[in-house]
Amino acid sequence: MMMFAQYNSAFFESLNYKLDAHQARFTMGIEAWVDPSFSPPSGNIIVIMFDDRPAGFFVLDRGADKLQLTGNESSVLLRSFSVNPDYQGKGIGKWAMRSVDEYVKRQMPDVEEIVLSVNLENTLAYRLYIGAGFTDTGKTINGIAGPQHVLSKYL
C-alpha cells in the first residue's frame, strides 16, 4: 500500500539514501531539506510511504521560487522528487506523481496549479511527469545542472 505522510525526523535515516551519479545530478537529498541553514520555511517535505516504510520524498514549496516557472500566485512548486533506489521499479514514483494533485487539493485547497522543472537531460523523469498528467509549458529555465523544461498541472 502507498500513501503520503508529513516528514518527521524519525524518517531521516530511511530517506538519507544515495542515488546513483546520474540521478544525483538532478535533485537534492533529504539532508539539504532538513538542514536549518538551507530549508526554506515555505518547503513542506512529503514522504512517500510504501508498505508503511519511507520509500521516497518530494517538497511542496509555496515560496517565491515558483514565480520563475509561473505567474500564478496560487501555485505550488514541486521539487527534489526522488525514490530510494531500493524501491525503484515498483511503480512508486508513478503512483506518487499521479496522486500528488489529489493530495494538494486536500491539503492546500487554495492551490490551483502544481509546477516543476526537470532537466532536459533527465528524460526518464520527464516521461514520468508527462505520463502523470503534467504538461510541458514550452518554457525553459536555466537550472544548476543546465536547462530545464517547465511543467505544469492545473488542479
Side-chain angles (χ1 to χ4, degrees):
M1 183 176 92
M2 291 181 258
M3 60 182 271
F4 295 127
Q6 288 289 318
Y7 175 82
N8 71 60
S9 60
F11 295 142
F12 179 79
E13 189 172 328
S14 295
L15 294 175
N16 195 26
Y17 46 80
K18 300 299 178 214
L19 297 171
D20 67 35
H22 178 74
Q23 292 177 21
R25 288 182 49 218
F26 305 122
T27 192
M28 291 188 311
I30 192 69
E31 69 282 351
W33 288 102
V34 298
D35 178 348
S37 67
F38 171 78
S39 186
S42 55
N44 185 13
I45 303 169
I46 309 302
V47 179
I48 306 162
M49 303 294 290
F50 178 73
D51 290 341
D52 296 322
R53 291 174 294 205
F57 78 97
F58 56 91
V59 174
L60 294 174
D61 187 348
R62 291 179 175 257
D65 284 355
K66 68 186 180 187
L67 298 176
Q68 296 174 34
L69 309 181
T70 181
N72 186 352
E73 290 279 351
S74 298
S75 64
V76 66
L77 172 60
L78 190 149
R79 55 194 328 172
S80 295
F81 170 67
S82 70
V83 174
N84 183 325
D86 293 342
Y87 292 96
Q88 291 178 10
K90 299 179 185 302
I92 294 168
K94 185 182 292 185
W95 173 86
M97 290 303 100
R98 287 183 175 168
S99 303
V100 68
D101 51 339
E102 289 304 318
Y103 178 82
V104 169
K105 285 178 191 177
R106 281 193 315 275
Q107 300 297 319
M108 304 173 169
D110 59 314
V111 170
E112 300 169 351
E113 178 187 21
I114 303 168
V115 293
L116 62 87
S117 64
V118 59
N119 192 288
L120 271 59
E121 295 180 22
N122 196 351
T123 56
L124 286 175
Y126 179 83
R127 287 196 307 261
L128 171 75
Y129 296 130
I130 295 298
F134 285 85
T135 302
D136 190 327
T137 66
K139 180 178 174 182
T140 59
I141 62 166
N142 287 319
I144 294 169
Q148 302 192 13
H149 296 281
V150 174
L151 306 182
S152 171
K153 187 182 230 186
Y154 281 91
L155 307 179

